[in-house]
Amino acid sequence: QVQLVESGGGLVQAGGSLRLSCAASGRSFRAHIMAWFRQAPGKERQFVAGIRWTVSSTQYTESVKGRFSISRDNANNTAYLEMNYLKPEDTAMYYCAVRLSYASDFENTDDYDYWGQGTQVTVSA
């Protein structure tokens, strides 16, 4: 099975930056999409950013466009989420997810096969 470990969360002031990492451990895997989701208190889990593993095309939710950047390091089976100009509304538990099969869309949480345990991001005003 694929195991995902997120890291890089923490407490940051509004306007600051954080870099999240999602490392896939164990035997290598064939991932079609690696993505980041987040869930804030009292809200449903929502898609943040995703990247197709082999071709590196990306998709972002509207609220983070221009501020967040997703990337991947194939050799290390790691995806990153660079978060800049952070806002209090970005406060959430951030989860890494992997979809193994082909997909044309990124946003549906039910389409992902593996999930990490999450890393907390807290942005203070």
Side-chain angles (χ1 to χ4, degrees), residues 23-34:
S25 61
R27 191 171 65 183
S28 62
F29 62 94
R30 293 180 177 270
H32 184 253
I33 298 173
M34 294 189 72

Side-chain angles (χ1 to χ4, degrees), residues 31-110:
H32 184 253
I33 298 173
M34 294 189 72
W36 291 94
F37 291 77
R38 66 187 181 188
Q39 186 167 17
K43 294 185 177 296
E44 295 183 349
R45 184 172 54 185
Q46 65 173 162
F47 171 79
V48 177
I51 185 167
R52 294 187 173 90
W53 196 250
T54 57
V55 300
S56 194
S57 59
T58 59
Q59 183 67 51
Y60 298 91
T61 193
E62 189 68 29
S63 63
V64 308
K65 287 181 178 178
R67 299 189 298 121
F68 291 10
S69 179
I70 188 171
S71 61
R72 86 280 191 268
D73 182 346
N74 295 42
N76 292 290
N77 293 330
T78 302
Y80 303 95
L81 186 67
E82 187 77 32
M83 304 185 296
N84 301 303
Y85 305 103
L86 283 161
K87 304 175 181 180
E89 66 182 8
D90 297 318
T91 295
M93 183 71 74
Y94 282 71
Y95 298 93
C96 179
V98 167
R99 179 183 173 93
L100 298 178
S101 60
Y102 172 83
S104 59
D105 299 324
F106 291 77
E107 298 83 1
N108 193 339
T109 60
D110 294 334

